[in-house]
Amino acid sequence: MPQPTPPTRSRIRRWLRNRPGAGLRWKVSAAIAVVSALVAIALSLVVHNAALASLLDGSRDVQDERIKFAQRIYESTNRLSFDSKIDDPKLPPELREVALTGQRATFLEDTGGGVPEVWAAVPLADGKVLSIHTRFEDRYTVLRDLDRALVVGSASVVLGGSALGVLVGGRLSRRLRKAATAAGKVAQGDRGVRVRDAIGGRVRDETDELARAVDAMADALGQRLEAERRVTADIAHELRTPVTGLLTAAELLPPGRPTELVRDRAQALRTLVEEVLEVARLDSAAERAELQEIALGEFVVRRVRVLAPEASVAVVKDAQVETDPRRLERVLGNLLANAAEHGRPPVQVTVDGRALRVRDHGPGFPSALLAGGPSRFRTGSRDRAGRGHGLGLTIAAGQARVLGARLTFRNAPGGGAVAVLRLPHSAPTDTGGIAVVTPRQR
């Protein structure tokens, strides 16, 4: 058999790694089916063996009664009855030996036909052995009918157990899926969702305990995040006034290199405070988009000329979109600034319908960003670190949520970071319903 080529082996491994697992419904159904089958088989074997033992005992008792009557008739009339024979050459040796010791006995002889031969023998006064033998075919017909009934009953039990498992597992699976969906909405920032309300149902089980625990955890995390957001916002607000004063005082310094350094650092500090305040506002989920209808291609071309003149713009397909121009410009500006600061030229901006793509040719996004999304005060790997505070992409992601857009990050196969903003077909109705998707690094 030919061995699979390396690409084929790679595809096989990828399929095995990504294939979907069996659902809870089918696992419960399979478990119940297996248990039902084991119980049905065990009970069927017990019933079959008990019926077979009773049948054999009954057959031997009948033969014993027959040989006693045959003995009496032969001794009184010298006539053979019940198809009895004297010194039958077919008499099993074991039974002959017992009869010659002066005992009446019965014997089961397996002839390989499925139905045993039932023998009975008794010694006579002249030293001979009187014997009879019979196959009780009719009784074994009843046993075969019993076996068929047991098979049908066992199959019915297994099928009924499987159906019950599907129903029970399906109900539990639906509740868990509802809980997972609600938990996903909570993770996306929808604080009004309660897992316990989402799963519903009158029956109380372990899923309700899980839902209550998730709700309690979400409330605790929400309170903690809200407290942290308030602290961050308060600190930024408190810093805004002295930083503004510092910047104003720096303008009054005499010209010179030290003055330029002070002004540059003061301006950087002011920019940082403003960005922290913007992040705090976005985290509060209170921002709302002021919608206008714009031509996306024309808008991007004009803004890129101002924000990053060195970047190239390609409009593959233009589209009319209803969005907030100010926030869209903020997202575009941050993506361009990130590409210019952490990537390498050329920087390419492409508009394809409602999708806006910004690509550089630098080292690409770090794996931590691709796995968990942008995070404040985290600038990525050492290749993309050293400048900035990690707030640019965080703000871009927050503004994208306000726009109801989807912002994704990936690395291009040929090298470079690619950020794609997909604007929605309908106007956004809230600020926290769309998650930032971060695919795996390619």
Side-chain angles (χ1 to χ4, degrees):
M1 180 177 180
Q3 296 296 322
T5 61
T8 302
R9 289 197 297 267
S10 177
R11 286 194 295 269
I12 293 174
R13 288 195 297 267
R14 188 163 55 250
W15 178 82
L16 291 174
R17 185 170 58 250
N18 297 331
R19 64 176 179 173
L24 181 62
R25 172 189 301 182
W26 304 114
K27 290 180 181 179
V28 172
S29 177
I32 294 179
V34 170
V35 173
S36 301
L38 293 177
V39 172
I41 291 173
L43 290 178
S44 298
L45 291 175
V46 171
V47 172
H48 173 83
N49 292 333
L52 179 61
S54 176
L55 186 151
L56 295 176
D57 291 341
S59 300
R60 300 179 74 161
D61 291 340
V62 170
Q63 289 294 73
D64 186 61
E65 292 295 329
R66 286 181 178 180
I67 197 64
K68 288 192 292 184
F69 280 112
Q71 181 185 12
R72 292 172 188 172
I73 294 173
Y74 179 78
E75 290 176 347
S76 60
T77 64
N78 202 28
R79 182 170 56 87
L80 296 175
S81 58
F82 299 110
D83 295 329
S84 59
K85 294 181 181 180
I86 296 177
D87 289 338
D88 189 348
K90 297 181 180 179
L91 184 67
E94 299 90 340
L95 183 59
R96 184 186 297 275
E97 292 177 2
V98 175
L100 291 178
T101 61
Q103 302 179 29
R104 186 179 71 252
T106 58
F107 182 78
L108 297 175
E109 182 183 17
D110 186 7
T111 58
V115 179
E117 195 83 23
V118 183
W119 287 83
V122 64
L124 299 176
D126 56 2
K128 297 181 180 180
V129 177
L130 179 67
S131 63
I132 60 175
H133 62 93
T134 308
R135 287 176 181 267
F136 293 91
E137 297 281 354
D138 55 341
R139 298 194 175 194
Y140 282 89
T141 301
V142 176
L143 181 62
R144 285 191 287 270
D145 292 339
L146 176 62
D147 289 341
R148 283 194 292 270
L150 289 175
V151 171
V152 173
S154 299
S156 301
V157 169
V158 173
L159 292 177
S162 299
L164 179 62
V166 170
L167 293 176
V168 175
R171 178 181 178 276
L172 182 59
S173 179
R174 283 192 299 272
R175 288 167 65 84
L176 290 176
R177 285 195 178 97
K178 290 180 180 179
T181 302
K185 293 180 179 178
V186 172
Q188 293 173 4
D190 192 345
R191 301 181 183 178
V193 175
R194 286 295 177 267
V195 178
R196 178 64 192 84
D197 297 334
I199 62 176
R202 298 180 179 179
V203 180
R204 297 294 181 263
D205 52 23
E206 286 78 3
T207 55
D208 294 271
E209 298 179 8
L210 175 63
R212 284 193 290 269
V214 173
D215 288 339
M217 180 182 65
D219 291 338
L221 289 176
Q223 293 173 1
R224 181 173 180 179
L225 291 174
E226 180 63 20
E228 292 180 355
R229 186 195 66 81
R230 290 181 178 177
V231 169
T232 303
D234 292 343
I235 293 175
H237 275 293
E238 293 297 326
L239 287 175
R240 173 184 279 181
T241 301
V243 168
T244 302
L246 178 62
L247 191 61
T248 302
E251 296 293 334
L252 301 178
L253 295 176
R257 181 59 180 167
T259 299
E260 293 179 0
L261 292 176
V262 171
R263 290 175 181 174
D264 179 70
R265 293 299 88 196
Q267 182 61 45
L269 183 59
R270 180 179 181 179
T271 301
L272 175 61
V273 171
E274 294 296 335
E275 288 182 345
V276 170
L277 282 173
E278 186 174 359
V279 170
R281 288 194 301 269
L282 292 172
D283 285 345
S284 67
E287 295 287 291
R288 293 294 182 270
E290 298 178 2
L291 303 178
Q292 298 180 24
E293 188 171 348
I294 61 173
L296 184 60
E298 180 184 356
F299 176 87
V300 172
V301 170
R302 286 190 282 108
R303 293 303 186 274
V304 171
R305 288 175 182 171
V306 176
L307 298 172
E310 71 283 357
S312 63
V313 184
V315 180
V316 178
K317 178 182 177 182
D318 202 354
Q320 293 292 124
V321 297
E322 190 175 5
T323 188
D324 188 329
R326 181 180 62 84
R327 297 184 188 277
L328 179 59
E329 182 178 359
R330 179 66 163 152
V331 175
L332 177 61
N334 282 17
L335 295 180
L336 290 171
N338 183 79
E341 187 172 3
H342 300 295
R344 297 192 188 101
V347 177
Q348 301 168 337
V349 181
T350 305
V351 178
D352 189 358
R354 295 178 176 272
L356 170 63
R357 182 171 65 249
V358 177
R359 176 185 177 180
D360 63 50
H361 290 75
F365 290 117
S367 57
L369 186 144
L370 295 174
S375 178
R376 65 200 68 178
F377 301 111
R378 184 182 68 187
T379 57
S381 64
R382 285 176 296 179
D383 292 335
R384 296 175 65 89
R387 302 182 303 275
H389 304 281
L391 296 177
L393 293 182
T394 303
I395 292 174
Q399 296 290 6
R401 283 194 295 270
V402 177
L403 295 175
R406 186 178 296 272
L407 181 60
T408 63
F409 303 96
R410 63 181 177 86
N411 287 333
V418 181
V420 181
L421 179 71
R422 291 181 174 85
L423 296 172
H425 290 276
S426 57
T429 56
D430 56 39
T431 61
I434 303 296
V436 175
V437 179
T438 55
R440 293 174 297 177
Q441 185 172 3
R442 296 183 180 180

